[in-house]
Amino acid sequence: MVKNQTEKADLILRRLGEADIDEMRKLFRSTVLEVNSRDYTREEVEDWASCGDSDERWKELLSDNHYIGAFDTDGHMSGFTSMNREGHLHSMFVHKDCQGRGVATFLLSEAERLAEEYGAEEITCEVSLTARPFFERKGYEVVKIQKALAKRLELTNFVMKKKVLFQTILL
C-alpha cells in the first residue's frame, strides 16, 4: 500500500485527517444539496446536509474509518470515501462539478483495495437513491431497502454488499 499518495491521471489520492474537515464538510454539503436533490426533496437534502455541521462528528468518523480524498492538480478536493477494518464503506461523495469523470470509480477502487488489505470478506455500505446505480454497476447488490434517520427526517437508502475478491499473486 502506498501510505501517502496514489496518482491516476489528473487526480491524487491521499489519506484525510482533521485538517481536511472544513473542505470535507463543504464538499459533502454541496454534493448532498446539489446532486442528491435529483432524488430527494429539498427538505430531505437540507436535513441530510445538516448532518455534516458538527466538527466532533467528523472527528469521530475520521477516527473510526480510513478516509481517502481525491485531489485535482491544483489541490482542490474532488471527492472522498472511507473504509473501516470490518469492510464497511461509510462515505462516498464526489464534488458536484466532478460528477461523471471517474472520481468515484477511482475512490471506490482504493476503498476496495483497503478492504482487501484489511482481510474483509465482503464490503457493506448504505447508499442513497442517487448512488445506487453506480454501486450496482460496480458489482454491489442490494441487501435491503431502509429508511435512515438524517437529523429529523427518515430518508430512503439501500444497504448493499459486495464480496471481496482476493487477488492471488503467482510467483
Side-chain angles (χ1 to χ4, degrees):
M1 172 179 140
V2 175
K3 296 282 184 200
N4 296 326
Q5 296 184 348
T6 302
E7 295 186 37
K8 180 174 182 171
D10 57 348
L11 292 175
I12 298 168
L13 292 182
R14 72 165 172 80
R15 185 162 189 166
L16 300 175
E18 289 185 14
D20 299 299
I21 289 175
D22 285 341
E23 195 167 5
M24 293 171 72
R25 178 189 354 266
K26 288 175 189 169
L27 188 145
F28 167 76
R29 284 190 63 78
S30 68
T31 301
V32 169
L33 292 171
E34 307 261 346
V35 176
N36 294 101
S37 62
R38 298 190 297 242
D39 300 300
Y40 295 93
T41 68
R42 191 75 188 148
E43 186 180 21
E44 287 173 327
V45 294
E46 287 174 359
D47 187 54
W48 181 8
S50 73
C51 293
D53 292 346
S54 165
D55 277 359
E56 290 309 311
R57 178 65 178 141
W58 283 108
K59 290 175 184 177
E60 178 184 325
L61 289 170
L62 286 164
S63 71
D64 294 344
N65 301 277
H66 183 127
Y67 271 82
I68 306 153
F71 294 83
D72 66 20
T73 54
D74 293 325
H76 299 110
M77 188 182 292
S78 299
F80 65 86
T81 191
S82 67
M83 181 59 61
N84 70 20
R85 294 194 169 278
E86 290 75 43
H88 184 73
L89 187 153
H90 180 274
S91 304
M92 169 77 76
F93 292 95
V94 173
H95 192 282
K96 64 183 180 63
D97 297 333
C98 300
Q99 299 283 313
R101 296 184 184 170
V103 176
T105 298
F106 189 34
L107 286 166
L108 183 61
S109 176
E110 182 67 8
E112 289 177 345
R113 189 193 63 69
L114 282 171
E116 182 179 337
E117 185 177 295
Y118 292 150
E121 293 183 15
E122 71 179 16
I123 298 169
T124 60
C125 52
E126 296 178 35
V127 306
S128 67
L129 290 161
T130 312
R132 178 184 173 179
F134 168 79
F135 280 92
E136 287 178 328
R137 286 191 305 273
K138 300 302 180 185
Y140 288 74
E141 298 176 352
V142 173
V143 174
K144 70 177 181 175
I145 301 171
Q146 66 181 9
K147 291 284 188 180
L149 183 65
K151 276 219 171 160
R152 53 183 184 77
L153 299 176
E154 290 187 334
L155 285 68
T156 300
N157 74 8
F158 305 89
V159 175
M160 299 186 81
K161 72 175 181 177
K162 179 181 179 179
K163 293 284 184 200
V164 174
L165 302 175
F166 293 99
Q167 296 181 2
T168 305
I169 299 172
L170 300 175
L171 300 177

